[in-house]
Structures are given as structure tokens and as C-alpha cells.
Amino acid sequence: MSSAAVSPAARLRALKPDWLNDPRVWRTEVLGGLVVALALIPEAISFSIIAGVDPAIGLFASFTMAVTISIVGGRRAMISAATGAVALVIAPVNREHGLGYLVATVILAGVFQITLGALGVAKLMRFVPRSVMTGFVNALAILIFMAQVPEMRDVPWPVYPLIIGGLALMVFFPRVTRVVPAPLVSIVILTVITVAAGIAVPTVGDKGELPSSLPVPGLPDVPFTPDTLTTIAPYALAMALVGLMESLMTAQLVDDITDTRSSKTRESIGQGVANIVTGFFGGMGGCAMIGQTMINVKVSGARTRLSTFLAGAFLMVLCVVFGPVVSDIPMAALVAVMVMVAFDTFDWHSVSPKTLRRLPAGEIAVMVLTVITVVATHNLAIGVVVGTVTAMVVFARRVAHLAHVTAVTDPDGSQVVYAVTGELFFASSNDLVHRFDYAGDPDDVVIDLSAAHVWDASSVAALDTVEARYARRGKTVRITGLNNPSADLHGRLTGELTGGH
């Protein structure tokens, strides 16, 4: 059928987002956003406490981050809000200089994120190995579970059967129907039980007072001087890097779960825009929130920007309009939801005996080190950096042994040909110098690199050293078989790195 034959109504339907064309998608997105909003409230309050600010500051940040990123972000259905990692970074600013400086830091961090996004920092994600990604996911699951442990200590005994009941509902309710997300059902039923029966257990209201009005925009209360800039710049850069790292890793995780691609560059810039907006509304900033994203994408099945937008919108509605009702939600209900999220997030296949027997020891070590680092520091970004660097070292050591040198001497003893095979770079080329018999070889030496590739200056320097050692003994070296890129690099650098020694 030609494009001219397509009816205007059909073209209009094609332009509409999925959630407008399909009521089932609309229902999934709306309910997913509601579940996320309920789970965001105690988290945002907790992170506000970490940052040393009023709970309303964290709730406002979660609202503006979610709503803004739903429009400008590069990964659909991903949730951004106030996070613990960002709270830890900016807490010293608030403690030492006050709320005005914290807000200014958030705005500057957003500027840094936009700049880094435009410079292509998202492309660095290609250097994160799968073993690091697996360690990141497993460490995330452990951190989500560990964050629930304090809510299960020194609490009234009814908390424990409520948590067990909530978990049972989330396991068995989907077998009855998937029309309504099981976490939402669990939260509603446990809240009704505790309120109707008058069971005294910790509630959301015990975490802090919910805001009664919407945030209003304004400028940070700081002097606009170079001193202010130098004070907040280090914290802003740290926040920008941590926020981008967690957001890009979360985006990659959602890509894998949904089998779709996202724009990491747009997400990086979008995080910056969201933090700038959040700062002007007096929020504490944030980044992608992995636990809530898993609730939205993996548990609720949401796939569009609508769920992200509604998570922020519902958050404010719940706080401002239904504050008294939300305050009565037992923390046990939300703990049960997050425990289930932790269980679903953990990659159990990665630690099965069958998988561990097949994986190279180096990759297992990288995965374990990533988990240990993240759990020890409670910082996902540090764990990813440590894991990635370790993976690169493991890879370099493995590849370094793939360069081989074999020698063939002419029958008359007038010439020796050394055939070098493999990849020559800083790790493998260090041993190259010691593979030649400088004293015993004849005067004519040929180094054949037809089956090798020269990658860096270290390799060129090693070849120069080999030539220099033969030259000191009055022997001639000819290097042959260089492919075009290797010949170009060798031609530009040879003689410039070792000074002829």
C-alpha cells in the first residue's frame, strides 16, 4: 500500500505514543508510576537525612528529576530521583556552607553533566566489560537488600509477619492476574490491615513530615563570586561524575532487560538538564535510581516515558493531597517490595556452579572485586571504575602472552629471520627485547612482522632497542612485513623514543 493510501486516522495513530494507542499499555504505565511513587517517598526522605536537609528537599528533588528526565532523558521508563550516592557527595557542602551552597552545587553539577555529555563521555561505556556489569548488578541487589535491614531491626514483632505476607502476595498474586502490579496490591492490603486492626508498626510518616505545597523556583542564596565557584566546583564535578556513572550503568541495564537501545549521550545531557531544573527548584539533585527503575521496568513492566513522568507527578500528589493516607503506609510493605526487587535484580545465573566452572578465573575475580568494592564503599561508581581497571589489567596480562618469536637461521649461517606473531603493545613488547640472541646471531638479522601488529609507542621503542643492541655489535637489522597502520606508526616514531640507545 502506498503512503498516499494511508488514512489520516492511521497516520495519527502511528504518531501517537504507545500508551495512547493501547489501553493496556496505558494501565501498565500508570500503575507502574504509582508503585514507584510510593516507593520513592521513604527513600527520598532517607537520602535527605544523609544530605542533612529537610525531607521536603529530597522529595522535591525526586519530583523535578523524574518529571524533567521523562522529557529530556535518553532512556525510556528509567527513573531518576534523589539518590544516596549524590547525597553522600554533597552532604559536606551543606554541612560546611549551608543549603544555598548545596543548591548551587547541584546546578553547577548539571552544567558539568551537559558539558561531559556533549563531549561524548557516554562512549566510555563501551569499555565496561560484562563481568563488571554483572558485578554491578549483583552489588546493587545486595545494597538494596542491606538498605532494608535497618527497617527489620529493633521493631515490633508484627513487622516480620507483615513483610512475609507482603512477599507472599508478590509471589502468588501474579498467578491470579497481572492487570494490577503485585507490589501495589501488597502495599494497599498491608496498609488496610495495619490501619483497620490498629497494629502499631513503623510507618512512612515516622520517616519525616511530608510537604504540603509544591516547590517554587528561585536562585540559590549564595554570593555570585569566584570564591563561591571555587568552593563548590570540586563537589559539583564529583556529583556530576557519580551521577553520570550510575545513570549510564542503569541505562545499560534497562537496555539489556528490555532488549532495546537508548541514547546514552542524550541521557547524559538530560541528567544535567534535570539537575539544573532541580537546583532552581531548591532540590538536592540526583541521578538514575536503580532500585525504583527495577520496580518500574522489571516488576511493573513499564516501557514508556509516561511511567517516569507519572512517578514524579504521583509523588507530589501523594505528598500534598494524600499526605495523611500515605503517612499510614507501614514501612514493612515497602521493605517487602524492595526485598523482592533485590531478589529479582540479582543475577543468580552468574553464581551458579555451572557458570563458575566455565568462566575464566580472571572474569570471576573481576566480578567478585566489583561486588566487594561496591558493597564496601556503598558507591556504585567506585566499584565500576575499580572493576573496569582490573578487567583491563587482566586482559593486558592475558594478551601479553600472545606475542611469540621464532628464529630460523639460514643453512650457511649468514642470516637469521625472526618471525614475530601476535599483538605488540606496552605489555607484550616489554618481553620482546629479551627474545633475541644478540651475541650469537649472524651479522644479517631480519625481523618479520607480517603476522604481528604494532599498537603503541612502547612497541616502537622496543624495536628500536633491539636494533640498537644489534648495532652495538656491528650487526644489521631489517624490519619487514609491517602492515600499513603499523608501518605508519613505526615510521613516525622510530628513532624518536630511545635516543638511539
Side-chain angles (χ1 to χ4, degrees):
M1 181 183 293
S2 66
S3 58
V6 178
S7 67
R11 285 199 296 268
L12 182 60
R13 283 196 301 271
L15 292 174
K16 288 182 181 179
D18 291 341
W19 55 271
L20 281 178
N21 290 327
D22 190 340
R24 292 174 299 178
V25 174
W26 185 87
R27 183 180 60 239
T28 298
E29 301 299 310
V30 171
L31 294 177
L34 179 57
V35 175
V36 170
L38 289 169
L40 273 174
I41 294 173
E43 296 275 296
I45 295 174
S46 298
F47 298 146
S48 300
I49 294 170
I50 292 174
V53 299
D54 189 83
I57 304 297
L59 291 165
F60 288 158
S62 296
F63 162 61
T64 54
M65 286 293 298
V67 169
T68 305
I69 206 68
S70 70
I71 300 169
V72 301
R75 173 64 260 178
R76 292 179 296 174
M78 190 166 78
I79 305 297
S80 289
T83 61
V86 168
L88 287 170
V89 172
I90 61 176
V93 182
N94 183 63
R95 186 169 58 249
E96 297 171 14
H97 303 285
L99 180 61
Y101 280 81
L102 181 147
V103 172
T105 300
V106 171
I107 295 172
L108 183 58
V111 174
F112 282 148
Q113 287 178 328
I114 292 174
T115 304
L116 291 169
L119 292 174
V121 70
K123 295 178 181 177
L124 296 176
M125 281 299 297
R126 72 183 67 177
F127 297 108
V128 178
R130 181 169 181 79
S131 54
V132 174
M133 191 69 188
T134 303
F136 167 84
V137 170
N138 291 344
L140 162 66
I142 294 171
L143 286 183
I144 292 174
F145 179 80
M146 289 175 60
Q148 312 315 310
V149 173
E151 304 296 338
M152 295 184 277
R153 288 178 180 163
D154 302 322
V155 292
W157 69 265
V159 168
Y160 303 109
L162 286 172
I163 293 175
I164 294 171
L167 291 172
L169 280 168
M170 284 182 284
V171 170
F172 295 109
F173 186 79
R175 301 181 183 181
V176 178
T177 178
R178 292 184 177 271
V179 173
V180 182
L184 179 59
V185 174
S186 177
I187 291 170
V188 171
I189 290 178
L190 294 187
T191 302
V192 170
I193 290 174
T194 54
V195 172
I199 302 174
V201 293
T203 63
V204 170
D206 296 332
K207 288 289 184 180
E209 186 177 351
L210 302 181
S212 57
S213 61
L214 293 174
V216 292
L219 293 174
D221 184 18
V222 295
F224 292 90
T225 63
D227 287 341
T228 300
L229 183 62
T230 55
T231 299
I232 66 175
Y235 298 103
L237 181 58
M239 174 183 163
L241 293 174
V242 168
L244 283 182
M245 178 73 74
E246 293 210 20
S247 299
L248 293 176
M249 291 294 290
T250 305
Q252 183 62 50
L253 179 59
V254 177
D255 287 356
D256 294 340
I257 292 172
T258 61
D259 196 24
T260 58
R261 295 187 65 183
S262 60
S263 172
K264 305 301 187 298
T265 297
R266 178 176 173 178
E267 182 61 36
S268 301
I269 296 173
Q271 287 291 327
V273 173
N275 272 305
I276 291 174
V277 172
T278 297
F280 281 122
F281 275 90
M284 56 180 278
C287 62
M289 207 169 190
I290 308 172
Q292 272 62 28
T293 297
M294 290 300 99
I295 293 175
N296 196 44
V297 174
K298 203 166 185 179
V299 179
S300 300
R303 293 293 183 271
T304 77
R305 297 178 184 275
L306 178 63
S307 58
T308 306
F309 177 87
L310 290 178
F314 281 148
L315 175 64
M316 278 294 97
V317 172
L318 290 170
C319 291
V320 175
V321 180
F322 299 103
V325 176
V326 173
S327 296
D328 287 335
I329 295 175
M331 284 302 300
L334 299 175
V335 169
V337 171
M338 298 310 294
V339 169
M340 182 60 71
V341 169
F343 183 86
D344 287 340
T345 301
F346 196 91
D347 186 352
W348 297 101
H349 176 72
S350 68
V351 295
S352 68
K354 183 178 179 180
T355 301
L356 294 176
R357 282 196 299 268
R358 294 182 176 181
L359 274 179
E363 294 200 23
I364 295 174
V366 169
M367 180 178 69
V368 171
L369 182 61
T370 302
V371 172
I372 292 174
T373 304
V374 171
V375 173
T377 63
H378 283 236
N379 191 315
L380 294 162
I382 293 176
V384 170
V385 171
V386 171
T388 302
V389 171
T390 304
M392 290 180 177
V393 172
V394 171
F395 173 77
R397 286 176 58 87
R398 185 183 305 164
V399 177
H401 300 294
L402 298 181
H404 301 285
V405 179
T406 56
V408 177
T409 305
D410 282 355
D412 59 4
S414 62
Q415 184 187 75
V416 61
V417 178
Y418 283 93
V420 180
T421 60
E423 309 300 320
L424 298 181
F425 66 111
F426 62 90
S428 60
S429 61
N430 287 333
D431 293 332
L432 186 66
V433 178
H434 308 292
R435 303 287 187 88
F436 301 88
D437 185 3
Y438 301 101
D441 283 342
D443 292 342
D444 188 9
V445 178
V446 177
I447 301 177
D448 181 9
L449 298 177
S450 301
H453 188 98
V454 178
W455 285 102
D456 59 7
S458 297
S459 303
V460 176
L463 292 172
D464 284 354
T465 300
V466 171
E467 291 187 83
R469 290 190 179 185
Y470 275 117
R472 285 200 294 268
R473 292 170 173 81
K475 301 176 181 181
T476 303
V477 176
R478 286 182 295 128
I479 297 176
T480 64
L482 287 166
N483 58 35
N484 289 336
S486 300
D488 178 65
L489 182 65
H490 185 266
R492 285 188 288 111
L493 298 180
T494 185
E496 302 295 329
L497 302 171
T498 61
H501 301 297

